[in-house]
Structure formats: C-alpha cells, structure tokens
C-alpha cells in the first residue's frame, strides 16, 4: 500500500504490501487516528466571553446552518459538525479526527467567514473537549448558562439544531443534541427551574395575576401605560400568560402598531392616546405604568373619582421616577405596587432558581453518563463491519483461487454450493468474536470488557489500517 498525503490526511492506495505498510503507518504521526477515537469539541463565543460586535459578525442565520455544517464537515480533520447561533452565543460543535488540527481549521473557517482575525477569535473563545463539551451543551439546553437561569428559549434553539442535523450529518453530534434536549426537558420538569419571574417586567405581570381574585384573571381588563421597552415586555408577558385583549396608552400610535405586528393572531391590542388615559383607567382592573414621565400620571384626586371595578384596582408601577403617586395607596379601592416591591419578588425567585440549578446539575451529570455510555457502544460498530469485510475478502479471494484451479469441470449448482459452504464456515468462525462485540441487550456484558475485546480483535486481525482507510475514504467522498 502506498501512502500519499492529501490536505493533511493520508490517502491509502491498496496494494499487496498491506502488512509492511501497516508497520510504516504505526511508526508515523498518523498512528493517532487509529489509536485514539475522534474527539467531541466545542468552540464557543458567548455573552460571557465576547462583545456583541464580535458575536454579530460571527452569527450564522438558521437558514444557513446546513451550508455551514457541510463546509465544516468538508474540512480535513472534521467528521461531524453542528452550529448553535443565537443572540447570546455562537457555538460550533465538532467531531474531530484531531483536536488541535480540527480546531485550527475551524477557527480559520470562522475568520474567513466573519472577517475577524484568528487572534481576536482566540482571545474571546472558550474550548471544551469530550466530557466537558457534553456537560456544557447539556447545561446550555437546561438554561444553566443563560443570563436568566432556566429560560426556555434556548431549549427551542437546541431543538432547531437537532432538526437541521436530520438527513445524513453523522451520528455522534446528532445523538449529542438529542440527549441534550432530554437533559433540558428533565431539568425543567423535575426541578421547576423555569418557574418564577426573574425580570422586573415578568415579575410585574406575575405579581398582578396573583393579586387578582381567584378565577378573574382571564376576564380582567389590562391597561398598559407606555409602549417603550419595558411596556413592550409587559405586553409580551401578559400574552404569554394567556391575556388576549388589552388597552395600551401611548403618545404615538406607531409604536403600538409595531408591537401588534409582532403578536400572534388572536391578540387584540387597543391603542388609546395619552389624553384618554383616565377614561381607560376607569375600565381597567389592572394598570401597568412604564413611562419616562418626571411627574406622577396618577394622583389621589384622579383615582378617587374612578368607578371601582370589584374589590380594588391594581396599580403596578415599574417606572423610575414613579408614575403613580404614593398617595394613591391611601385609597381603599386601590392597591399600589412599585419597583421595590417587584425587586423583592425577583430576588427571591433568583435565589430559588439558583438552588434548583444545583439540583439540575445532578440530572445533567446523569444524562452525560448515559450519552458517554451510548457513544462508547458505537465504537464496536466499525470493528464489526471491518472484520466482516476483511473475512469476506479473504473468503472470496480463496474461492476465486480454488475455482480458477478446479472450477472448470464444476456445474453452476456445485459452484453455488462452494460459495454457500464457505460463507457458512466464515459465519460460524465469526460467531464467537461477534458475540463478544455486541453492546445491545442480548449480552449482559460490561462495556469496558466489550471495548477490551474490540481492541484485541483490532490487533489480532490487523484492523487498525482498515479503520483508518474507512475514515479517509469518508473524507475523500466529502471533497
């Protein structure tokens, strides 16, 4: 066999000198490809490590993920790849033939695509390998690496990656993302880490709904005064809690119309100008205020003239300075909550989520071990295939040699009998080795023992070169 270097890999050309070529290979630097299994690698730049300007340049739109994956897999030392690109993170997951060469190739690809120098990328990246990479993705999926612990959007984004990996993008990386989704679901379901508001706007909505009389939330009229950033978030949280109709008072209608366009169908946002604020307040059960006004919009004399809806009207003021005067709280028909009240709710919920995050780590560790066991079980598959192919080549060559010498006088039926007999003999010989390579439920054998058997068979049947050729052939097919 002749070895030719092609783009950092060896291209194997089969010849009769297979054994001597194997000895040469074992002496070369390329021996690591037969002795070490491929590594899982994550190259990441996130909100924790890289500035927004860099993440924007590195970002890859969802529609371009399949193309990016194909380009990554075409690199010499990359077997499989996946892209997780969101507003807070840009992470590339790899199955690499060589850790260092694979990382170098992918970093150069990122630099070429984004225009960012390799040195700048390296200054802000993080690199994780194998178990650490697995642990990281599972934590990401569970929301433990998010700015808001346990937030749910990231799990949906991990699911998007899994969908993009359908259709021939390998086995290990798709399996990694599938197990990450399981870990994320379990962490949320078993710990409740996603429950409890941890932002002022979400806490405002949560507090208001808990203060309403039991069973009245669905029919209560909501009024949002101010459609800026905080007001928009309040509207989104109300919609997320099932509110389908609300009044919004704002200086300009354009901003309210833009928010309405972002809402799903069936959500009615009724715009009212600032002059109609008190009239709208008379209809509302709950009033959220979030304007930049330097003076209060609601004072005692304004509110005491309003008709009372039920037991009391709730004012949830998330503005600084306050939009609702402290004197309003003196009225029997009004209950007023401000930012300080909400901060207590947020702080308590953050502490609760931090405790639940520690519980979630146990789940992540458990799921990581399951993934590693599954991945370990895959190691025997190439050996099984290669052993069958090698024995079949030996069998076919022996039959061909026999037929060239004695087959001239044989009829078709006898020739077929020779083929069947030799195949049956090979299968019987392979039955024992194959039985000791199985990782399914039919054999109650510890995985370490199975892997020892695999390594022994690789040595005895000289399959290391076969396995290397398979990897190289796969890379050549991607070119």
């Amino acid at each position: 066999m002749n070895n030719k270097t092609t783009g950092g890999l060896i291209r194997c050309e089969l010849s009769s000198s297979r054994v001597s070529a194997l000895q040469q290979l074992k002496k070369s630097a390329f021996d690591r490809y037969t002795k070490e299994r491929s590594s899982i690698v994550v190259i990441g730049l996130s909100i924790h490590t890289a500035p927004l300007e860099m993440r924007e340049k590195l970002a890859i739109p969802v529609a371009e993920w399949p193309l990016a994956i194909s380009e990554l897999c075409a690199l010499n030392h990359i077997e499989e790849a996946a892209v997780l690109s969101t507003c807070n993170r840009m992470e590339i997951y790899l199955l690499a033939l060589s850790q260092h060469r694979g990382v170098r190739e992918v970093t150069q690809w990122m630099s070429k695509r984004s225009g960012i120098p390799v040195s700048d990328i390296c200054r802000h990246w993080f690199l994780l390998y194998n178990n650490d990479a697995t642990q990281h993705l599972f934590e990401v999926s569970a929301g433990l690496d998010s700015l808001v612990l346990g937030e749910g959007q990231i799990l949906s984004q991990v699911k998007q990656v899994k969908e993009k990996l359908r259709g021939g993008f390998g086995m290990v990386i798709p399996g990694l993302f599938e197990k990450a989704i399981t870990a994320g679901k379990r962490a949320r379901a078993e710990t409740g880490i996603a429950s409890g508001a941890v932002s002022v706007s979400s806490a405002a909505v949560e507090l208001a709904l808990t203060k309403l009389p039991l069973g009245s939330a669905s029919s209560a009229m909501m009024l949002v005064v101010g459609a800026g950033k905080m007001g928009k978030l309040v509207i989104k949280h109300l919609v997320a809690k099932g509110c389908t109709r609300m009044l919004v008072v704002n200086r300009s209608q354009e901003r309210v119309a833009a928010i309405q366009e972002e809402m799903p169908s069936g959500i009615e946002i009724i715009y009212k100008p600032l002059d109609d604020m008190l009239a709208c307040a008379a209809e509302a059960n709950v009033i959220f205020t979030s304007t930049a006004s330097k003076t209060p919009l609601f004072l005692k004399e304004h509110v005491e003239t309003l008709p009372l809806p039920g037991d009391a009207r709730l004012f949830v003021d998330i503005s600084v300075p306050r939009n609702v005067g402290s004197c309003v709280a003196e009225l029997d028909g009004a209950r007023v909550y401000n930012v300080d009240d909400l901060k207590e709710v947020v702080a308590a919920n953050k502490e609760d989520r931090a405790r639940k995050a520690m519980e979630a780590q146990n789940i992540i560790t458990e799921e990581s071990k399951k993934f590693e066991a599954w991945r370990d079980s895959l190691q025997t598959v190439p050996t099984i295939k290669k052993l069958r192919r090698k024995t079949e080549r030996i069998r076919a060559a022996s039959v061909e040699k026999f037929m060239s010498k004695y087959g001239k006088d044989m009829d078709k039926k006898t020739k077929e009998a020779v083929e069947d007999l030799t195949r049956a003999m090979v299968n019987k010989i392979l039955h024992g080795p194959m039985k000791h390579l199985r990782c399914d439920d039919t054999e109650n054998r510890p995985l370490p023992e199975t892997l020892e058997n695999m390594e022994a068979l690789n040595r005895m049947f000289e399959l290391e070169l076969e396995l290397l050729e398979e990897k190289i052939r796969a890379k050549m097919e991607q070119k």
Side-chain angles (χ1 to χ4, degrees):
M1 185 189 75
N2 296 319
N3 295 334
K4 294 184 179 180
T5 303
T6 305
L9 285 174
I10 291 180
R11 183 174 69 233
C12 300
E13 296 179 354
L14 300 180
S15 71
S16 59
S17 58
R18 180 180 297 274
V19 176
S20 60
L22 177 59
Q23 298 305 320
Q24 293 173 13
L25 181 71
K26 286 183 177 180
K27 294 177 183 178
S28 74
F30 291 94
D31 186 46
R32 64 181 169 277
Y33 297 133
T34 64
K35 294 300 183 186
E36 299 176 9
R37 70 171 177 174
S38 299
S39 299
I40 294 176
V41 182
V42 57
I43 303 175
L45 296 98
S46 74
I47 195 169
H48 305 299
T49 67
L52 176 61
E53 294 78 11
M54 179 175 286
R55 301 199 313 273
E56 285 175 335
K57 291 179 181 178
L58 288 165
I60 302 175
V62 175
E64 296 178 23
W65 286 0
L67 175 61
I69 293 169
S70 296
E71 290 178 356
L72 288 165
C73 290
L75 298 174
N76 285 336
H77 294 83
I78 304 302
E79 292 183 279
E80 300 177 20
V83 174
L84 177 58
S85 181
T86 74
C87 57
N88 287 335
R89 68 184 68 249
M90 166 59 179
E91 297 178 356
I92 297 179
Y93 291 82
L94 309 163
L95 186 67
L97 286 165
S98 165
Q99 288 183 2
H100 302 300
R101 286 171 171 77
V103 168
R104 184 175 66 233
E105 290 170 358
V106 173
T107 309
Q108 290 170 347
W109 176 87
M110 293 168 70
S111 176
K112 182 179 179 181
R113 191 182 186 282
S114 64
I116 300 173
V118 169
S119 59
D120 288 350
I121 294 174
C122 295
R123 193 175 299 120
H124 294 279
W125 72 4
F126 61 87
L127 289 176
L128 298 170
Y129 302 100
N130 297 316
N131 291 348
D132 291 337
T134 300
Q135 183 91 0
H136 173 73
L137 179 58
F138 287 15
E139 289 175 356
V140 167
S141 184
L144 302 190
D145 194 57
S146 300
L147 284 179
V148 178
L149 273 177
E151 59 94 4
Q153 186 179 10
I154 188 63
L155 180 58
S156 299
Q157 291 161 334
V158 172
K159 289 179 180 177
Q160 268 188 312
V161 177
K162 177 63 173 66
E163 287 301 312
K164 295 297 181 183
L165 291 174
R166 290 185 184 276
F169 282 112
M171 180 179 291
V172 175
I173 297 298
L176 175 65
F177 273 82
E178 186 174 337
K179 299 296 190 298
I181 292 168
T182 300
K185 287 179 177 178
R186 279 193 62 196
R188 287 171 173 80
E190 296 178 25
T191 69
I193 192 172
S195 63
V198 289
S199 68
V200 169
S201 55
S202 61
V205 172
E206 185 175 294
L207 180 67
L209 295 179
T210 58
K211 297 298 181 181
L212 285 170
L214 191 64
S216 65
S218 59
S219 60
M221 174 55 73
M222 306 291 178
L223 168 62
V224 180
V225 181
K229 182 179 179 181
M230 294 298 288
K232 180 179 178 180
L233 289 172
V234 167
I235 293 169
K236 287 188 171 182
H237 287 300
L238 284 170
V239 171
K241 292 292 185 179
C243 181
T244 58
R245 187 173 182 269
M246 67 195 76
L247 296 167
V248 178
V249 169
N250 196 57
R251 292 186 185 278
S252 67
Q253 186 175 3
E254 289 78 10
R255 184 167 286 180
V256 178
I259 295 173
Q260 174 72 76
E261 288 181 5
E262 294 181 27
M263 296 296 117
S265 60
I267 304 300
E268 184 181 8
I269 297 177
I270 304 167
Y271 165 75
K272 294 291 182 180
L274 202 57
D275 292 342
D276 292 350
M277 184 183 70
L278 289 178
C280 293
E283 300 178 38
N285 300 90
V286 182
I287 300 171
F288 298 93
T289 58
S290 61
T291 78
S293 175
K294 295 181 179 179
T295 58
L297 301 178
F298 291 95
L299 294 171
K300 187 176 182 179
E301 56 265 31
H302 301 140
V303 178
E304 63 185 356
T305 61
L306 301 177
L308 190 62
D311 294 336
R313 180 177 283 108
L314 301 182
F315 289 86
V316 185
D317 185 5
I318 58 175
S319 306
V320 179
R322 285 177 285 180
N323 289 170
V324 180
S326 57
C327 55
V328 174
E330 298 172 5
L331 298 171
D332 292 336
R335 282 184 282 170
V336 181
Y337 302 93
N338 58 37
V339 171
D340 286 348
D341 299 315
L342 300 177
K343 282 181 177 177
E344 291 180 12
V345 175
V346 169
N349 285 339
K350 282 185 176 178
E351 286 183 16
D352 184 53
R353 286 199 181 194
R355 287 193 298 270
K356 290 172 178 176
M358 295 177 68
E359 297 175 23
Q361 283 290 356
N362 295 329
I363 294 171
I364 287 169
T365 299
E366 183 182 327
E367 290 296 330
S368 296
K369 289 179 179 177
K370 288 181 181 178
F371 169 75
E372 290 302 324
W374 171 79
R375 187 188 172 203
D376 286 341
S377 72
L378 297 180
Q379 291 186 69
T380 64
V381 175
T383 296
I384 291 171
K385 290 181 178 179
K386 291 300 144 193
L387 183 55
R388 283 202 171 277
R389 288 179 187 174
K390 183 165 188 175
T391 53
E392 172 57 23
R393 281 200 303 271
I394 294 170
R395 184 205 68 81
S398 298
V399 169
E400 183 180 0
K401 185 177 180 181
F402 175 80
M403 289 297 182
S404 65
K405 197 169 185 179
Y406 303 107
K408 293 179 181 179
D409 298 328
M410 290 185 186
D411 56 23
K412 181 180 179 182
K413 189 174 181 180
T414 305
K415 291 179 180 180
E416 288 176 353
V418 171
E419 290 282 347
D420 293 341
L421 175 64
T422 54
R423 284 197 179 95
M425 290 172 64
V426 168
N427 287 336
K428 286 182 179 180
I429 293 169
L430 289 181
H431 176 72
M434 292 300 178
K435 184 178 179 181
H436 285 79
L437 287 179
R438 286 192 190 129
C439 288
D440 54 25
D441 295 333
T442 60
E443 295 293 331
N444 188 20
R445 183 178 294 104
L447 182 61
E449 182 182 332
T450 302
L451 296 180
E452 286 180 10
N453 295 338
M454 177 194 74
E455 291 172 4
L457 285 169
N458 283 336
R459 290 193 303 272
M460 287 187 289
F461 287 90
E462 296 183 331
L463 297 177
E464 292 98 337
L465 185 57
E466 299 269 345
L467 297 171
L468 176 57
E469 287 175 6
E470 181 70 16
K471 286 187 175 184
I472 295 170
R473 197 174 290 115
K475 294 304 300 180
M476 292 300 105
E477 288 173 358
Q478 291 175 351
K479 295 294 184 181

